[in-house]
Amino acid sequence: MSKPLEAAKSATSTTKQVLTKPASENSPTAGKFLHHPYTKTALPFINGGLAGMAATTTIQPIDMVKVRLQLAGEAQGKVGDLYTGLSAGLLRQAVYTTARLGFFDTFMTALKARAETKGQSIGFKERAAAGLTAGGLAAMVGNPADLALIRMQSDGLKPKDQRANYRSVIDALSRIAKGEGVYALWAGASPTVVRAMALNFGQLAFFSEAKTQLKAKTQLSTTTQTLTASAIAGFFASFFSLPFDFVKTRLQKQSKGPDGKLPYSSMADCFRKVTKDEGILRFYRGFGTYYVRIAPHAMITLIVADWLGVLTK
């Protein structure tokens, strides 16, 4: 091998080692900062938010198509519309995924510490409780951004003279709060929380089961097992959560009619009326698109979060 090729290979190898080594090993100063108690507490939240934002930027076009299918029964518009509401989507991830993964890591750390003092180890029940609780709490915190995202994405479906033409997520949030009241920012919060809990349950329970089965019955690499299990978990997470996602979208998008009343008074009322007027299968319209969004989003989030976790050890 020639010297230039050897030098290039050595440089590439060195770069890979630096990128995959914890920052604390590459820099003593960074290590001291990362191991500070306050930093260690904040990192799971920061890494979770960054991972969620990276996934959302990638999946946003699919999410836009999903919302249009749910609201209009078809996807229409310009190519540029695929990134309508991206600012709201990123804000939601900065709030929701930051809280969800941060809370989950915090709960798991506490549960592990408590179990170790008793000479025990945590099981599925503890993981499920941590995931469900973290998802529910994060959904409440992130609902205003989620509402703004739905409003921005559905605005283009209205006649031009009825469009709000939101300039940004901040503009949407402020105008909704001024025009409809602050509490309107939590419209659809109940199905949002239930959806988040169903989503977390589907991902957690079936990811764990699928990974166990793949490890026992296949010769796949650890990385392939993780990705395959994530895809399987994404299917069940989609199946359990899509009806609540549908209702959430309907409740957040609804506006008062000529009589001054809203079409749906509650989550239960929406479920009842949609089932009666449109049929039970209406809740699963766009399932394929929803699954294609949920599974890759979960994979990207987990991969990026894991990578950031290694870098910030």
Side-chain angles (χ1 to χ4, degrees):
M1 186 182 292
S2 64
K3 288 186 177 180
L5 287 176
E6 289 181 358
K9 187 175 181 181
S10 176
T12 301
S13 177
T14 301
T15 302
K16 286 182 178 178
Q17 290 177 9
V18 170
L19 289 175
T20 55
K21 273 187 178 182
S24 57
E25 291 185 21
N26 292 322
S27 170
T29 303
K32 188 179 295 184
F33 172 74
L34 292 173
H35 290 148
H36 190 281
Y38 292 149
T39 306
K40 289 180 70 174
T41 300
L43 275 176
F45 291 87
I46 296 171
N47 290 346
L50 291 174
M53 291 170 76
T56 288
T57 302
T58 306
I59 304 300
Q60 171 71 13
I62 299 175
D63 190 47
M64 179 63 180
V65 172
K66 183 266 296 182
V67 170
R68 289 288 177 92
L69 285 172
Q70 288 181 334
L71 296 181
E74 59 182 75
Q76 53 183 309
K78 306 183 294 294
V79 174
D81 291 342
L82 292 173
Y83 276 94
T84 298
L86 178 61
S87 60
L90 292 176
L91 177 61
R92 181 178 184 274
Q93 291 302 315
V95 177
Y96 171 68
T97 303
T98 294
R100 180 170 68 97
L101 296 187
F103 280 141
F104 180 74
D105 186 84
T106 302
F107 295 156
M108 288 295 291
T109 299
L111 288 170
K112 285 178 181 177
R114 189 175 70 175
E116 287 174 1
T117 59
K118 299 178 180 179
Q120 302 173 346
S121 59
I122 60 172
F124 174 78
K125 182 173 67 175
E126 289 78 14
R127 293 190 185 93
L132 289 168
T133 305
L137 289 173
M140 281 297 295
V141 175
N143 199 78
D146 193 51
L147 173 70
L149 174 61
I150 296 296
R151 291 287 182 91
M152 292 175 74
Q153 289 180 329
S154 63
D155 196 47
L157 297 174
K158 299 178 180 178
K160 288 187 177 181
D161 60 336
Q162 295 180 23
R163 294 177 186 175
N165 295 315
Y166 300 115
R167 295 188 301 273
S168 66
V169 61
I170 301 301
D171 180 49
L173 289 170
S174 62
R175 287 167 63 181
I176 292 170
K178 288 179 181 178
E180 304 172 42
V182 175
Y183 289 117
L185 294 174
W186 274 270
S190 295
T192 298
V193 171
V194 176
R195 171 192 175 274
M197 296 178 74
L199 193 66
N200 277 273
F201 169 73
Q203 285 181 343
L204 176 62
F206 291 94
F207 174 77
S208 177
E209 179 64 23
K211 197 168 184 181
T212 299
Q213 294 296 331
L214 288 169
K215 186 175 181 180
K217 299 179 180 180
T218 71
Q219 299 298 318
L220 297 174
S221 66
T222 301
T223 301
T224 304
Q225 288 175 16
T226 300
L227 292 175
T228 304
S230 296
I232 294 171
F235 173 83
F236 287 103
S238 301
F239 179 80
F240 287 126
S241 66
L242 182 54
F244 299 104
D245 184 79
F246 177 90
V247 171
K248 172 182 70 70
T249 301
R250 282 284 181 96
L251 290 174
Q252 291 180 331
K253 183 259 180 183
Q254 69 177 337
S255 55
K256 293 181 180 179
D259 59 356
K261 296 181 179 180
L262 291 171
Y264 310 110
S265 60
S266 65
M267 179 173 66
D269 184 52
C270 184
F271 267 113
R272 182 179 60 80
K273 287 180 178 177
V274 171
T275 301
K276 180 181 178 182
D277 299 336
E278 304 175 53
I280 192 72
L281 293 179
R282 184 67 177 87
F283 292 111
Y284 284 96
R285 176 175 288 182
F287 178 81
T289 305
Y290 186 68
Y291 170 73
V292 170
R293 175 196 175 276
I294 291 295
H297 194 283
M299 290 180 185
I300 294 170
T301 300
L302 292 171
I303 291 170
V304 174
D306 186 63
W307 179 67
L308 290 172
V310 171
L311 290 181
T312 55
K313 270 186 179 179

